[in-house]
Amino acid sequence: MSTRVYLVDDHAMVRSGVRAELGGAVDVVGEAADVEGAVEGIRATVPDVVLLDVHLPGGGGRAVLETLRAELPSVRWLALSVSDAAEDVIAVIRAGARGYVTKTISGPDLRDAVARVADGDVVFSPRLAGFVLDAFAATTPSAPQREDPATDPGLDLLSAREREVMQLLARGYTYREIGSRLFISVKTVESHASNVLRKLQLSNRNELTRWAATNRLL
């Protein structure tokens, strides 16, 4: 059975583009352009996942979340926005969103993000994961401080250069950007990236970002 998705964005062209990118992977059950329409439509359809823009007429995506989250606990929320500002990300995550991706995301990655949120996972665009973790750590004074930030023994298997590549990969940098920062070739970056995933027994960059966040390496 296809995941039932509801789209909320104030630009019709964006909603059309998102529909096209999602293709037949999901069942889009409705869409809205403002807070009032979103609340009404989501109540009527009770989708599995809501793709929610942050900035909307009538109060923004946070207002939709705060209105419906307790009322519809089965619905999962994934913010999809052009904004990568820390205050926007933190606001919707605290309101109950399960993830936040920017509109630069590729079609395959968007489909994967929707599927993962529907399954109960938490999803962030890689560059956002670090400051989300930092923001929540900073507002949790009771959280114990860890002298050794990494607990996974796999980290000890990485060379110093592989650790540098790993952190930049987890933060969302492209191979070309990593090569420029570290003054190495793209081919060398690809080799290090392959070694990192193999040594940590991870399958892809999304898993690497989650691993790095868990081990407080972002």
Side-chain angles (χ1 to χ4, degrees):
M1 183 177 178
S2 295
T3 300
R4 302 172 68 253
V5 175
Y6 195 97
L7 306 179
V8 184
D9 194 288
D10 58 337
H11 294 96
M13 187 174 295
V14 172
R15 297 196 304 273
S16 177
V18 171
R19 276 182 178 267
E21 292 290 355
L22 291 175
V26 304
D27 179 15
V28 178
V29 297
E31 58 182 62
D34 56 26
V35 171
E36 183 178 357
V39 169
E40 181 179 341
I42 294 166
R43 276 178 174 155
T45 58
V46 192
D48 300 310
V49 176
V50 175
L51 272 173
L52 182 68
D53 193 9
V54 172
H55 299 291
L56 295 168
R62 182 177 179 178
V64 179
L65 268 161
E66 291 176 342
T67 301
L68 294 177
R69 185 187 174 203
E71 179 183 333
L72 301 174
S74 67
V75 175
R76 293 190 169 99
W77 308 80
L78 174 61
L80 174 64
S81 178
V82 70
S83 172
D84 61 0
E87 58 269 25
D88 289 333
V89 180
I90 299 305
V92 294
I93 296 302
R94 285 183 173 150
R98 297 289 296 176
Y100 193 116
V101 296
T102 61
K103 290 178 180 176
T104 58
I105 191 171
S106 68
D109 284 346
L110 178 59
R111 292 191 290 272
D112 179 65
V114 170
R116 287 168 54 195
V117 168
D119 287 340
D121 203 353
V122 175
V123 179
F124 294 102
S125 288
R127 294 188 191 217
L128 306 182
F131 67 71
V132 169
L133 183 65
D134 290 344
F136 279 91
T139 56
T140 312
S142 61
Q145 298 297 312
R146 293 158 59 180
E147 294 182 4
D148 179 6
T151 59
D152 193 308
L155 185 65
D156 294 332
L157 300 176
L158 304 183
S159 68
R161 178 63 88 191
E162 287 169 348
R163 290 190 189 199
E164 291 177 317
V165 171
M166 175 272 295
Q167 287 188 303
L168 292 172
L169 279 172
R171 290 170 181 163
Y173 288 88
T174 66
Y175 288 161
R176 187 173 300 278
E177 290 171 332
I178 294 171
S180 296
R181 289 174 71 94
L182 300 181
F183 304 102
I184 57 179
S185 71
V186 172
K187 187 172 182 179
T188 300
V189 175
E190 291 175 348
S191 177
H192 285 314
S194 178
N195 288 338
V196 167
L197 293 177
R198 176 177 54 80
K199 289 180 179 181
L200 297 179
Q201 298 183 34
L202 302 173
S203 300
N204 52 51
R205 289 176 63 146
N206 287 332
E207 290 186 4
L208 177 62
T209 297
R210 290 200 300 274
W211 179 89
T214 299
N215 289 279
R216 306 180 70 82
L217 295 169
L218 292 174

